[in-house]
Amino acid sequence: MKYLKVIAFTHKQIELKELGRLVVCQENLTDKLAQVKEQFNIPEIFYLATCNRVEFVMTTPQAVDKDFAKKFIEAFNTELCHDSLSTFMNSASIYEDQEAMVHLLRTSCSLESLIVGEKEILAQLRRAYEHCKEAGLTGDAMRMIMNCVVKTAKEVYTHTNISKNPISVVSLAYRKLKDLNLCSNARILIIGAGETNRNISKYLQKHKFSNFAVFNRTVANAEKLAADLGGEAFDLEALKTYNKGFDAIITCTSAVEPIITTEIYQSLLNGETGRKTIVDLAIPNDTAPEVLEQFPVNFIEVHSLNEVAKKNLQERYHELVHAEAIIEQNIAEFVQQLKQRRIEVAMRQVPEKIKEIRNNAINTVFADEVQGLDEQSREILEKVINYMEKKYISVPMIMAKDILINEN
């Protein structure tokens, strides 16, 4: 854990609407991460963005302080002005070494989430890591860290009641939507076919909603969700010409600029003037602020769920103690694993060195003597050397592990 560092921007210090300005478009994400990885000489890195946090997890021997973080974010997000960057830096949380590991474990167990007890964060963490792993941005250290992260989260969710009667941002948003008493044949436009909208669609299906149009940047994904819902599928461009009207819009995309502009919203209304509903779970919001200013809208967003989230935390408060005990135990186990791994890495060259010594002895130092032996003697010598070679490889590792155990 010596070189583990985390730069975190979360709902605890930053307004969710502002947090969205740090989100990086998925299309540019891999290239930007590779760029800053090389620029700052960072061995391993991955990036996590959810509806309530943006975090950069890295391994590096260099000091990661506010000055480093400022330069890092400047390189990563060139669209932030100086004042905005300073504001974000004042609200950044920086974790190092064991503190960073504790933070990752608490995050994976949802203890740091807006909605404590929601399990989505573990899946989000794993996807974020896997994306960067496939891009070659992580290595052995991050692999060990993530193994511990996943193991700890599963133990917390299994052995505590922290996720009993689970609620999530999606379920809370749906409760608010349901309170508006939309009829089952309400015309619902779903913008984005990612996990969040797929999850909220399950609630809609369960409660017999049946009139859907799905819009997504990748049409194939829109078609898949539309098929599940029995609706129509379109690409995002079709929003500009869609003329069948709507009663509610549910939107969650990874766009960094608003998708629902005043022009598009006006067009989607198709002449209707009544109050409509928008459920916008994107960070940053997919809905332009001007839409809410100019049109009558029931607007449901992540920020509006804060009060319910606080009540949820109070209800689960007693489970936090059990979860933190599991985290503490896993940290202790992980420290031991790291020590063993360091020994394994340090001893990795022992077999090669011993083979070199063996070959040098037979083929150079004692070459003449070996050549003078009869066939039976050579076979016995070969068996003795093979035996000695195996012992010389295994004994140092066993002794090193014994020393490690005795130290603890």
Side-chain angles (χ1 to χ4, degrees):
M1 287 179 287
K2 185 178 179 182
Y3 297 140
L4 179 62
K5 314 290 169 67
V6 179
I7 304 172
F9 305 88
T10 75
H11 65 98
K12 293 186 176 182
Q13 288 86 23
I14 302 172
E15 286 288 330
L16 292 176
K17 291 180 180 179
E18 287 298 306
L19 191 60
R21 298 174 63 194
L22 286 169
V23 175
V24 182
C25 179
Q26 283 293 123
E27 293 178 1
N28 303 325
L29 178 58
T30 302
D31 290 341
K32 285 202 170 187
L33 283 170
Q35 175 191 324
V36 296
K37 182 178 185 288
E38 181 178 356
Q39 180 178 341
F40 292 92
N41 194 26
I42 297 170
E44 301 183 43
I45 187 170
F46 78 89
Y47 159 90
L48 171 69
T50 74
C51 66
N52 55 62
R53 67 184 60 251
V54 171
E55 302 198 12
F56 300 90
V57 184
M58 64 191 78
T59 59
T60 176
Q62 58 192 303
V64 174
D65 51 19
K66 288 292 179 79
D67 183 55
F68 175 95
K70 181 174 182 293
K71 292 174 182 175
F72 179 89
I73 297 300
E74 276 180 323
F76 198 84
N77 192 334
T78 55
E79 297 177 4
L80 290 174
C81 67
H82 176 76
D83 290 342
S84 295
L85 183 61
S86 296
T87 301
F88 280 125
M89 285 303 105
N90 289 336
S91 303
S93 297
I94 297 175
Y95 304 94
E96 293 187 305
D97 308 331
Q98 185 162 320
E99 186 183 30
M101 191 66 186
V102 171
H103 170 74
L104 283 179
L105 296 187
R106 287 180 59 85
T107 299
S108 72
C109 300
S110 83
L111 304 192
E112 299 292 330
S113 295
L114 178 64
I115 309 296
V116 173
E118 55 89 9
K119 293 183 178 180
E120 284 91 342
I121 183 59
L122 178 57
Q124 290 166 333
L125 251 172
R126 293 177 77 169
R127 279 197 303 274
Y129 165 70
E130 289 295 334
H131 173 84
C132 292
K133 177 186 174 185
E134 290 170 8
L137 300 172
T138 67
D140 189 59
M142 210 65 81
R143 176 190 63 80
M144 291 188 67
I145 289 165
M146 283 305 299
N147 284 346
C148 181
V149 164
V150 172
K151 174 180 176 290
T152 304
K154 287 182 176 179
E155 288 180 6
V156 167
Y157 292 134
T158 300
H159 300 300
T160 76
N161 289 322
I162 202 159
S163 59
K164 187 178 180 181
N165 300 320
I167 60 175
S168 64
V169 168
V170 168
S171 63
L172 291 178
Y174 181 75
R175 287 184 198 179
K176 284 204 165 191
L177 177 63
K178 190 179 177 185
D179 289 343
L180 296 174
N181 295 317
L182 290 176
C183 59
S184 60
N185 66 344
R187 299 162 297 172
I188 300 176
L189 309 186
I190 296 180
I191 303 174
E195 183 182 14
T196 298
N197 278 354
R198 290 199 303 272
N199 286 341
I200 204 167
S201 294
K202 292 175 184 175
Y203 286 97
L204 294 166
Q205 279 182 301
K206 182 179 178 180
H207 291 91
K208 309 303 181 185
F209 287 93
S210 58
N211 193 346
F212 298 99
V214 181
F215 301 80
N216 194 62
R217 193 178 308 279
T218 305
V219 179
N221 292 338
E223 290 172 344
K224 186 175 179 181
L225 180 55
D228 292 340
L229 295 170
E232 298 179 286
F234 305 89
D235 63 17
L236 280 182
E237 285 296 308
L239 282 169
K240 298 175 181 176
T241 55
Y242 187 80
N243 60 5
K244 297 183 181 180
F246 72 96
D247 298 298
I249 293 175
I250 296 173
T251 184
C252 185
T253 74
S254 59
V256 293
E257 297 293 336
I259 288 177
I260 307 172
T261 61
T262 53
E263 294 78 14
I264 286 179
Y265 190 82
Q266 181 75 65
S267 174
L268 289 171
L269 285 172
N270 198 31
E272 298 177 18
T273 57
R275 178 177 290 273
K276 305 294 183 180
T277 296
I278 298 177
V279 179
D280 190 337
L281 299 182
I283 297 291
N285 282 349
D286 287 332
T287 310
E290 295 78 15
V291 171
L292 308 180
E293 296 168 1
Q294 298 178 26
F295 301 94
V297 175
N298 297 316
F299 191 59
I300 300 169
E301 59 173 339
V302 176
H303 179 72
S304 66
L305 306 176
N306 271 327
E307 287 306 312
V308 184
K310 290 176 183 176
K311 182 173 181 290
N312 171 65
L313 176 59
Q314 291 172 351
E315 292 172 353
R316 297 171 196 270
Y317 179 79
H318 294 294
E319 294 304 315
L320 298 183
V321 177
H322 303 307
E324 286 168 353
I326 292 173
I327 289 172
E328 186 176 342
Q329 178 184 343
N330 275 275
I331 287 285
E333 291 175 3
F334 186 65
V335 169
Q336 190 76 1
Q337 289 170 11
L338 282 180
K339 290 180 179 178
Q340 291 182 2
R341 183 59 178 161
R342 281 199 294 271
I343 290 173
E344 289 170 2
V345 171
M347 303 291 283
R348 189 178 284 166
Q349 291 183 330
V350 169
E352 294 176 6
K353 293 295 183 184
I354 290 177
K355 287 182 186 296
E356 285 179 15
I357 294 170
R358 168 201 168 121
N359 291 334
N360 189 50
I362 292 176
N363 299 320
T364 305
V365 179
F366 301 105
D368 293 340
E369 289 87 341
V370 171
Q371 288 298 321
L373 295 174
D374 58 47
E375 186 175 343
Q376 185 178 5
S377 298
R378 285 187 188 181
E379 287 179 1
I380 294 172
L381 177 63
E382 187 73 21
K383 288 179 182 179
V384 171
I385 292 175
N386 286 340
Y387 175 82
M388 295 293 290
E389 181 181 338
K390 290 177 182 177
K391 290 300 179 182
Y392 276 119
I393 289 172
S394 62
V395 168
M397 182 71 75
I398 294 170
M399 292 178 67
K401 288 186 176 179
D402 285 343
I403 292 169
L404 181 63
I405 292 169
N406 292 331
E407 281 181 351
N408 292 284

